[in-house]
Amino acid sequence: MADNGELRVSKEVNVVFSIFLLNQISNNYLSSLGITRRFHAMKSEWGFSKFISKKILCDPTKGYLVNDNCVIGAQVCVLNTTHAAIECLSLKNVDIPYKREWVIYNVSSLVNIWSSEEFEAGGYKWKVTLYPKGNGEATGRSVSIYLHFVGSETVKACYTIWIKNQVSNEHVKRTDTQWFSASVYNSGWLSLMELASFNDPTKKGFTANKRCLLDIEISVEAVAQ
């Protein structure tokens, strides 16, 4: 908000905004109350002079500054006189991530693709697709997997996918954070793991007893409206 490079002398922008500071221990946000301010070339910066005390911020046991890193965010609604908010970004508290487990039987007999049912996480609908023989350029070489967003909103989600090893704790685990929308609705890995490892039921254990154990964890972190 301090960058006034695009604010001409005659241009004004009305904004409702809040500032957030993540408590990395409790996974909750310290937030300011939303205030309305007018930004223009002569006044291009607004903020809060007493958002948090320096003593609390610098105390690592309080959770705001961990390993010399802090996480900040903003909720911004741009307004004008003739329209409602153009875009609003809301950060969400993530207390308990959504978790889901599947047991996929006879996975080696699947011709091409396995799709989960639609499920709800963070107030939004999702589904997972698994390609046990690979997808696209990875066909015949690697297992491919994707998370699909089923909705018209724009949401930011952090997700972790596991394929469980049933004979040891050497699971395959991948984590990513992405923005999802109606136009960008899937994310995942073309090459999650090699087919040779996946299809070896005795040494690797990913398809022991002719089944695959698939887990997912999703946290919706922000919503743009």
Side-chain angles (χ1 to χ4, degrees):
M1 293 184 181
D3 183 3
N4 63 354
E6 296 185 0
L7 285 177
R8 300 185 298 272
V9 175
S10 60
K11 186 175 182 180
E12 296 181 346
V13 179
N14 297 312
V15 170
V16 180
F17 71 94
S18 298
I19 303 296
F20 300 85
L21 179 64
L22 177 65
N23 187 311
Q24 299 175 60
I25 296 176
S26 67
N27 210 27
N28 289 314
Y29 292 98
L30 172 68
S31 62
S32 65
L33 294 176
I35 62 172
T36 303
R37 292 292 184 266
R38 179 172 295 177
F39 292 82
H40 51 82
M42 300 300 293
K43 182 61 177 177
S44 60
E45 179 178 340
W46 290 98
F48 306 90
S49 61
K50 296 181 179 180
F51 181 66
I52 185 174
S53 74
K54 183 178 180 180
K55 181 179 179 180
I56 293 176
L57 176 66
C58 295
D59 184 348
T61 65
K62 301 297 184 182
Y64 296 106
L65 187 65
V66 177
N67 296 324
D68 203 31
N69 291 303
C70 64
V71 180
I72 62 173
Q75 175 179 328
V76 181
C77 294
V78 180
L79 310 173
N80 61 41
T81 56
T82 57
H83 296 87
I86 296 175
E87 181 172 333
C88 181
L89 174 64
S90 300
L91 299 179
K92 302 187 70 174
N93 282 338
V94 181
D95 296 323
I96 302 176
Y98 174 89
K99 296 182 179 180
R100 185 76 174 235
E101 300 177 352
W102 293 275
V103 179
I104 306 172
Y105 292 98
N106 299 316
V107 64
S108 60
S109 301
L110 294 175
V111 176
N112 185 34
I113 184 175
W114 172 88
S115 294
S116 75
E117 72 285 2
E118 290 184 7
F119 59 93
E120 186 172 310
Y124 300 90
K125 291 185 177 182
W126 312 82
K127 71 176 184 178
V128 174
T129 55
L130 172 71
Y131 292 80
K133 293 180 175 61
N135 181 42
E137 295 179 357
T139 299
R141 297 187 296 107
S142 304
V143 176
S144 306
I145 195 165
Y146 303 94
L147 173 66
H148 300 263
F149 175 63
V150 185
S152 58
E153 301 86 354
T154 301
V155 303
K156 180 183 179 183
C158 175
Y159 67 99
T160 301
I161 290 178
W162 291 265
I163 292 185
K164 293 293 189 69
N165 189 320
Q166 300 170 57
V167 298
S168 75
N169 291 323
E170 297 179 359
H171 311 304
V172 171
K173 175 183 176 181
R174 298 289 185 273
T175 299
D176 196 12
T177 301
Q178 293 288 343
W179 280 98
F180 295 85
S181 65
S183 58
V184 184
Y185 54 85
N186 62 17
S187 177
W189 292 272
L190 184 66
S191 299
L192 179 70
M193 62 181 298
E194 294 182 354
L195 277 179
S197 297
F198 180 73
N199 289 326
D200 188 337
T202 56
K203 294 182 180 180
K204 301 297 183 179
F206 295 105
T207 55
N209 301 313
K210 297 183 178 180
R211 65 181 187 176
C212 171
L213 305 184
L214 174 63
D215 292 7
I216 191 169
E217 180 177 291
I218 303 176
S219 298
V220 175
E221 298 181 341
V223 180
Q225 300 174 340

